[in-house]
Amino acid sequence: MQNGNKKLYIETLGCAMNVRDSEHIIAELTQKENFEITDEADKADLILINTCSVREKPVHKLFSEIGAFNKIKKEDAKIGVCGCTASHLGAEILKKAPSVSFVLGARNVSKITKAIKEEKFVDVDINYDESEYAFGEFRSSKYKAYINISIGCDKKCTYCIVPHTRGEEISIPPSIIINEVKRAVSNGVKEIFLLGQNVNNYGARFSDKTIKKMDFSDLLEMVSEVEGVERIRFTSPHPLYMDDKFLKLFATNPKICKSMHMPLQSGSSEVLKRMKRGYTKEWFLDRALKLREMVKDVHISTDVIVAFPGESDKDFEDTLDVVKKVRFEQMFSFKYSPRPLTKAAEFKEQIPNDIASKRLKTLQDLHTSIIDEISLKQKGKTFSVLFEELKSGGMIAGRSDNNFMIQAKGSEEYLGKIVDVFITNPKRMVLYGEIVE
Ligand code: SAH
Ligand code: SF4
Ligand code: F3S
């Protein structure tokens, strides 16, 4: 990275795609505009907030944050708002918060060098195609590389704002992805993390019509053939596209980490229909249980929304039932949050907040008891772990192939290495163990 005399402070909210967008922004500004990164907002010449708008809370937070930055920033420092909230609020942000200098949508990140030079620049075009834009290289992790494989999302689940902030789905050409993989491993990266809102729909649409038809399984195979790639992860796959070909490749390719995100959203087929998820409770259970059968020690994570409009007690029971049957190793759960531009926000029978809170607590309590049992069962097992981080007390931390957070006694020499760890003391969030030499 070039050292410059201007300082950039960037805050990243939301999902892994935003993390990657922030890396792209940093690459553009440090390589083309002489910025360097700072973690002190009061010393920055440019403060960027890379926003998420998937639920209402982070959107509210944005305006209080702008206010807080405004108080501490250097007098001539600029504040810019990027990401998904930028996409859906656009110029309204400038009206509501006049201290903001520019607004750049989640699909317009490549225009960051332009945005910083123009007064009150706004570009939130969700039809803009940056699927073939060649960004500079910046990675926040030495050992793990996030790589985008598609932009946007075509699914239009009725609760979700993402298709309105990131636009229609376009797959990034395989040649660009493979070059990025090669560049990352030549810089010492061990783990490739493929990103998209709907990764296993890869290949549905390329901008360049001459690209040969291919699907996500084909892409996974191409990535796994790159010399130096040791681990492959991806997020988010959609349960609807988990066909037998995909599950078989997942089960048998040794480089693909045995950790699958299966966003359930609801266990009720009726609710799933109104969410427009495209699968039923039975399909989801069939896929998840088949995965358990095919892959020993597979780690399945999920996302669940409670209190979607019209969700009855019986519907909620179905969600609990799926959670009991699949016994997810990790669960992210949310109260339904009505979002602008989405169909579900117009649905009648919005669920009162007290019921939503109660359901969320019931679900989370159930899941906590499940993960406590799962954690205990890991005692005496050996996992291969990529160590990434030094912790206090002479400990190091990393993730097992199947995505458990693991800590062991060890020093810097293990960072970036994949080693076996024997689990001696499993806890809810972290499995503690010993390195097997
Ligand atoms: N493409 C991913 C999801 C991205 S959004 C997928 O389909 O799995 C991440 C998660 O936020 C979703 O899985 C969902 O559980 C949650 N979410 C999205 N919109 C929401 C809303 N309106 N209210 C509450 N949670 C929501
Ligand atoms: Fe949203 Fe559905 Fe697309 Fe996921 S698949 S980003 S939940 S519309
Ligand atoms: Fe949030 Fe946009 Fe990601 S809404 S979850 S940052 S796609």
Side-chain angles (χ1 to χ4, degrees), residues 153 155-157 159-160 162-163 197 238 277:
C153 180
K155 287 303 291 173
K156 300 219 166 44
C157 303
Y159 52 80
C160 184
V162 172
Q197 288 301 346
H238 195 295
R277 289 291 288 176

Coordinates of all heavy atoms in Angstrom, one line a residue, residues 153 155-157 159-160 162-163 197 238 277, ligand 2:
C153 N -29.4 -9.4 -6.6 CA -30.1 -10.6 -6.3 C -31.5 -10.6 -7.0 O -32.2 -9.6 -7.0 CB -30.4 -10.7 -4.8 SG -31.4 -12.2 -4.4
K155 N -34.0 -12.8 -6.4 CA -35.0 -13.6 -5.8 C -36.3 -12.9 -5.3 O -37.4 -13.4 -5.3 CB -34.4 -14.3 -4.6 CG -33.5 -15.5 -4.9 CD -34.2 -16.6 -5.8 CE -35.2 -17.3 -5.1 NZ -36.0 -18.2 -6.0
K156 N -36.1 -11.6 -4.9 CA -37.3 -10.8 -4.5 C -38.1 -11.5 -3.4 O -39.4 -11.6 -3.5 CB -38.1 -10.4 -5.7 CG -37.4 -9.6 -6.7 CD -38.2 -8.5 -7.3 CE -37.4 -7.5 -8.1 NZ -36.4 -7.9 -9.0
C157 N -37.5 -12.1 -2.4 CA -38.2 -12.5 -1.2 C -39.0 -11.3 -0.7 O -38.5 -10.2 -0.7 CB -37.3 -13.0 -0.1 SG -36.2 -14.3 -0.7
Y159 N -39.9 -10.0 2.0 CA -39.5 -9.2 3.2 C -38.3 -8.4 2.9 O -37.9 -7.6 3.7 CB -39.3 -10.1 4.4 CG -38.3 -11.2 4.1 CD1 -37.0 -11.0 4.1 CD2 -38.8 -12.5 3.8 CE1 -36.1 -12.1 3.8 CE2 -37.9 -13.5 3.5 CZ -36.6 -13.3 3.5 OH -35.7 -14.3 3.1
C160 N -37.6 -8.7 1.8 CA -36.2 -8.3 1.7 C -35.9 -7.1 0.8 O -36.4 -7.0 -0.3 CB -35.4 -9.5 1.1 SG -33.6 -9.1 1.1
V162 N -32.9 -6.1 -0.2 CA -31.6 -6.3 -0.9 C -31.7 -6.1 -2.4 O -31.0 -5.4 -3.1 CB -30.8 -7.5 -0.5 CG1 -29.6 -7.8 -1.4 CG2 -30.4 -7.5 0.9
P163 N -32.7 -6.7 -3.1 CA -32.9 -6.6 -4.5 C -33.1 -5.1 -4.9 O -32.8 -4.7 -6.1 CB -34.1 -7.4 -4.9 CG -34.2 -8.4 -3.8 CD -33.7 -7.7 -2.6
Q197 N -25.3 -12.9 -3.0 CA -26.6 -13.1 -2.2 C -27.2 -14.4 -2.4 O -28.1 -14.8 -1.7 CB -27.5 -11.9 -2.5 CG -27.1 -10.6 -2.0 CD -27.0 -10.6 -0.5 OE1 -27.5 -11.5 0.2 NE2 -26.4 -9.6 0.0
H238 N -28.7 -20.6 -1.5 CA -30.1 -20.6 -1.3 C -30.6 -22.1 -1.2 O -30.2 -22.9 -2.1 CB -30.8 -19.9 -2.5 CG -32.2 -19.6 -2.2 ND1 -33.2 -20.5 -2.0 CD2 -32.8 -18.3 -2.1 CE1 -34.4 -19.9 -1.8 NE2 -34.2 -18.6 -1.8
R277 N -40.1 -17.8 -0.9 CA -38.8 -18.5 -0.8 C -38.6 -19.6 -1.9 O -37.5 -20.0 -2.2 CB -38.6 -19.0 0.6 CG -38.3 -18.0 1.6 CD -37.0 -17.3 1.4 NE -35.9 -18.1 1.8 CZ -34.6 -17.7 1.6 NH1 -34.3 -16.5 1.1 NH2 -33.6 -18.5 2.0
Ligands
SF4_2 FE1 -33.0 -11.1 0.0 FE2 -34.1 -13.4 -0.7 FE3 -32.2 -12.2 -2.2 FE4 -31.5 -13.3 0.1 S1 -32.4 -14.4 -1.7 S2 -30.9 -11.3 -0.7 S3 -33.3 -12.9 1.4 S4 -34.2 -11.4 -1.8

